[in-house]
Amino acid sequence: DRMSEDVGLSASWVTASAAYGTLAAAAGHPGEAAAAAAPAEAARRALMARYWDPQKSIWIAGYSVSGAPMTDERSHSGLLGNGLFPTDQEEATLNRLAGSVFETDWGTRSMSSVSHGYEPHSYASGSIFALSTAATAQAFWRDHRPAIAAPILESLLPWVQMDSCGHIHEVADGDHFQPQVESVPEQIWSSSGFLHAAVRGLFGLDVLCGVHI
């Protein structure tokens, strides 16, 4: 019973549609901006209602073809800080992400270790992505939790010696500090994600382009 809806993809549609509206407004196309903003807002509200698990206090990973919710706990750091979920739901999710079922000494698991489908040696079912780990650290800084954010970002420092010095792998095993078999040994997303989290999270520097709507 494979997945037919994914919360990450659904959220990406919302943010992409909203971003298109912003670009359209900046380019002087108010009609297109309004046409993008309305469905983006409707989809955002639907996302909050459809993908939240009040029992586990974390989002629902998706839905199967038969319509059943798939409740494996996924970190999905990109869902945080984008106004996709209310503040209380983000707070509850961060509390869950801070625990040992997600956090290791070398990063944040993509799926919690207590999930039914957890497989630490699988690329998408429990392995640790450097990019997502950095984004998780940034989310905790954004939520004013530096005591949690700093160790998460620091957990990526040993990655620069995992293979060739200075290179940061794409993905590591969820149970052992070693590269996943499918991992790209040097990925620009991993390196830039670390720097991005350091600049915006650790140092708190952000540049907003002057777009007035």
Side-chain angles (χ1 to χ4, degrees):
D1 197 12
R2 61 183 175 81
M3 181 182 285
S4 65
E5 290 183 42
D6 174 73
V7 64
L9 292 176
S10 297
S12 294
W13 188 93
V14 176
T15 54
S17 183
Y20 177 84
T22 301
L23 290 172
H29 301 286
E32 291 192 32
E41 177 59 21
R44 185 184 69 83
R45 293 183 181 279
L47 187 83
M48 289 189 287
R50 183 164 176 77
Y51 288 100
W52 183 251
D53 186 339
Q55 280 72 43
K56 291 187 175 182
S57 294
I58 195 171
W59 41 64
I60 295 170
Y63 288 84
S64 67
V65 174
S66 65
M70 306 183 83
T71 55
D72 284 332
E73 299 174 341
R74 295 183 178 271
S75 53
H76 276 312
S77 55
L79 299 181
L80 296 164
N82 291 313
L84 297 170
F85 291 91
T87 302
D88 60 331
Q89 292 182 358
E90 287 215 2
E91 290 280 343
T93 300
L94 287 170
N95 291 339
R96 187 65 174 156
L97 291 178
S100 60
V101 296
F102 277 107
E103 297 303 331
T104 72
D105 290 340
W106 59 97
T108 306
R109 294 185 178 101
S110 56
M111 181 184 290
S112 78
S113 59
V114 295
S115 291
H116 175 74
Y118 175 64
E119 174 48 67
H121 315 304
S122 172
Y123 184 83
S125 300
S127 53
I128 296 172
F129 289 81
L131 177 64
S132 296
T133 297
T136 300
Q138 188 176 339
F140 278 104
W141 265 306
R142 190 166 49 234
D143 198 55
H144 308 291
R145 303 192 195 188
I148 301 174
I152 292 176
L153 189 66
E154 290 171 1
S155 71
L156 293 176
L157 293 177
W159 287 51
V160 301
Q161 297 179 340
M162 185 185 288
D163 200 334
S164 299
C165 286
H167 290 184
I168 301 182
H169 260 269
E170 175 192 10
V171 62
D173 188 283
D175 275 357
H176 301 91
F177 180 53
Q178 62 187 27
Q180 254 294 3
V181 65
E182 304 96 340
S183 178
V184 176
E186 161 61 2
Q187 188 185 62
I188 189 63
W189 286 5
S190 300
S191 300
S192 62
F194 180 86
L195 293 174
H196 188 274
V199 171
R200 288 196 168 183
L202 178 61
F203 299 121
L205 300 176
D206 200 357
V207 177
L208 298 177
C209 295
V211 177
H212 301 284
I213 301 175

